[in-house]
Amino acid sequence: GRSKLDDLSFRNDLHAAIRGLPDDEREVVGLLLQGLPIEAKDPSVITISGILNCSVKTVSNRLHRAYSKLRTSLLLEEEL
């Protein structure tokens, strides 16, 4: 089956919505999209919390806020 990410206009809307996020949230989403983990047991693994030099809880909070904004803005787009 096709996912929404196969739809070019959805992807464009998603990227536009990500660009509209506050810097700290956009940074977390960007790192996550690059495949970096938020945290890792192995200290040699590069993590989002390590790169941003903040706690895992802070990263999770930023991600949660970002997701909820993205969900809202993409739902609004779809209703137009």
Side-chain angles (χ1 to χ4, degrees):
R2 281 170 53 87
S3 116
K4 271 190 166 177
L5 290 172
D6 293 330
D7 178 345
L8 191 60
S9 75
F10 176 79
R11 279 218 313 268
N12 289 338
D13 291 344
L14 178 62
H15 288 296
I18 290 171
R19 281 195 301 275
L21 291 172
D23 291 348
D24 60 343
E25 295 170 20
R26 189 176 60 242
E27 208 170 24
V28 170
V29 172
L31 292 168
L32 199 68
L33 288 173
Q34 290 173 43
L36 289 169
I38 294 174
E39 61 180 323
K41 298 261 187 283
D42 180 346
S44 70
V45 172
I46 295 173
T47 62
I48 296 173
S49 60
I51 290 173
L52 300 180
N53 198 18
C54 59
S55 72
V56 168
K57 180 83 179 134
T58 299
V59 173
S60 299
N61 287 340
R62 289 178 187 173
L63 205 51
H64 182 74
R65 288 198 306 269
Y67 279 160
S68 108
K69 287 177 186 149
L70 293 174
R71 200 172 299 118
T72 302
S73 77
L74 293 168
L75 281 174
L76 292 174
E77 297 270 325
E78 279 179 16
E79 287 166 13
L80 295 176

